[in-house]
């Protein structure tokens, strides 16, 4: 039986790491990317291999579209040599970073970087990889609860995530003939090192977030990893073109 394969960008830490481990627990092989944290990425690979799945960590700066063609060639090489096939099944566009600044303070360079990383990157990486995505596969784009609710100093980042949600709907429409489903997962505030680990490490922020979540606690990376794995499963195949928020009920 052919093993399914997931490609997860930004898989060395945080939500990407949790997602890679969650899908591997379901017997799915994993290609994960990292920008600079090679050792952390290789540690995730080692954990996946211990589970009995195949895995590889490949370098990729998701904000630099000039890297996409050679990256795709490396993916195809790994698929042939290790996966023993020409395609993979699941693409999770997760790589990203935040920006905690007011509209007045945000610079044009910072805004342009967010565009490259959160909009241009997923668009053209997906375009480049589409020939290698199997018919009947899945694309899952990572957004944010901030595209629904509003908190201070997140306007530029939230705008990017709003755009990625629109992109998911268009992917679902245009790729439906190939049986490829495309959805968005929108995490709420999670206790990771994202944005300098503010939600995790700043007790005042941590408590404020917990007070605004119906379940009464801040989310953990594994809360999101499990949802990612579920959205890639056969059981959720009739969910398509949708935004699925995983926030514990934040700011309802």
């Amino acid at each position: 039986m052919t093993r399914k394969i997931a490609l997860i960008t930004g898989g060395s830490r945080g939500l990407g790491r949790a997602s890679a481990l969650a899908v591997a627990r379901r017997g799915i092989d994993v290609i994960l990317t990292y920008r600079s944290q090679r050792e952390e990425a290789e540690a995730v690979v080692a954990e996946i291999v211990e589970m009995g799945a195949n895995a590889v960590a490949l370098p990729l700066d998701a904000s630099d579209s000039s890297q996409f063609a050679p990256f795709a060639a490396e993916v195809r090489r790994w698929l042939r040599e290790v996966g023993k096939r020409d395609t993979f099944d699941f693409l999770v566009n997760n790589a990203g970073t935040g920006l905690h600044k007011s509209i007045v303070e945000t610079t044009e360079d910072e805004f342009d970087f967010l565009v490259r990383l959160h909009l241009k990157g997923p668009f053209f990486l997906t375009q480049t990889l589409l020939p290698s995505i199997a018919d009947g596969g899945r694309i899952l784009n990572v957004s944010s609860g901030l595209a629904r609710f509003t908190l201070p100093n997140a306007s530029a980042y939230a705008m990017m995530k709003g755009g990625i949600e629109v992109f998911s709907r268009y992917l679902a429409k245009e790729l439906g003939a190939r049986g490829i489903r495309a959805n968005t997962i929108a995490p709420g505030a999670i206790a990771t090192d994202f944005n300098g680990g503010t939600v995790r490490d700043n007790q005042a922020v941590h408590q404020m977030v917990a007070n605004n979540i119906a379940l009464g606690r801040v989310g953990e990376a594994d809360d999101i990893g499990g949802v990612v794995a579920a959205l890639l499963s056969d059981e959720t195949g009739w969910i398509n073109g949708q935004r699925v928020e995983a926030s514990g009920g934040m700011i309802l």
Side-chain angles (χ1 to χ4, degrees):
M1 181 178 177
T2 302
R3 295 178 64 93
K4 291 190 175 181
I5 302 170
L7 193 163
I8 301 172
T9 65
S12 65
R13 62 180 182 85
L15 304 188
R17 175 184 180 276
S19 299
L21 296 175
V23 300
R25 291 187 192 102
R26 297 187 176 216
I28 297 170
D29 294 342
V30 179
I31 302 168
L32 61 91
T33 77
Y34 65 94
R35 186 176 65 85
S36 60
Q37 296 177 314
R38 184 179 66 82
E39 291 185 3
E40 290 87 345
E42 293 293 350
V44 179
V45 168
E47 287 190 64
I48 292 172
V49 171
E50 284 186 7
M51 298 179 194
N54 296 311
V56 66
L58 301 177
L60 178 70
D61 182 347
S63 70
D64 181 2
S65 58
S66 70
Q67 296 185 16
F68 295 169
F71 170 74
E74 187 64 16
V75 168
R76 291 192 296 269
R77 184 196 64 77
W78 188 88
L79 289 171
R80 290 191 302 269
E81 295 180 2
V82 179
K84 305 303 180 185
R85 50 184 292 197
D86 296 321
T87 60
F88 65 94
D89 303 279
F90 311 124
L91 171 62
V92 181
N93 283 310
N94 165 75
T97 189
L99 179 69
H100 188 73
K101 280 193 174 184
S102 70
I103 295 170
V104 172
E105 295 170 319
T106 300
T107 69
E108 190 169 349
D109 284 346
E110 289 169 334
F111 189 93
D112 288 346
F113 174 72
L114 292 179
V115 170
R116 293 196 305 273
L117 179 59
H118 290 288
L119 288 178
K120 183 178 179 180
F123 187 100
F124 287 102
L125 181 62
T126 302
Q127 180 191 79
T128 303
L129 292 172
L130 270 176
S132 297
I133 299 177
D135 290 352
R138 309 288 176 88
I139 298 171
L140 185 61
N141 293 317
V142 177
S143 179
S144 169
L146 289 165
R148 175 180 65 83
F149 51 76
T150 304
L151 293 175
N153 303 318
S155 60
Y157 173 76
M159 286 174 65
M160 307 305 149
K161 292 309 189 180
I164 209 68
E165 294 183 7
V166 173
F167 182 43
S168 295
R169 296 200 298 271
Y170 275 84
L171 283 170
K173 187 72 169 180
E174 294 191 14
L175 301 179
R178 291 182 53 190
I180 295 175
R181 287 82 156 172
N183 292 294
T184 301
I185 179 172
I190 307 295
T192 69
D193 62 359
F194 186 79
N195 256 358
T198 301
V199 172
R200 181 191 62 196
D201 302 331
N202 185 310
Q203 188 55 41
V205 173
H206 190 98
Q207 190 59 52
M208 180 276 291
V209 170
N211 290 342
N212 281 284
I213 293 178
L215 292 178
R217 68 169 177 87
V218 173
E220 300 292 338
D222 286 345
D223 293 321
I224 305 304
V227 179
V228 169
L231 289 172
L232 299 180
S233 70
D234 292 339
E235 290 85 351
T236 57
W238 204 236
I239 298 176
N240 193 26
Q242 302 303 308
R243 176 192 191 273
V244 177
E245 183 170 314
S247 68
M250 186 170 179
I251 311 184
L252 295 176

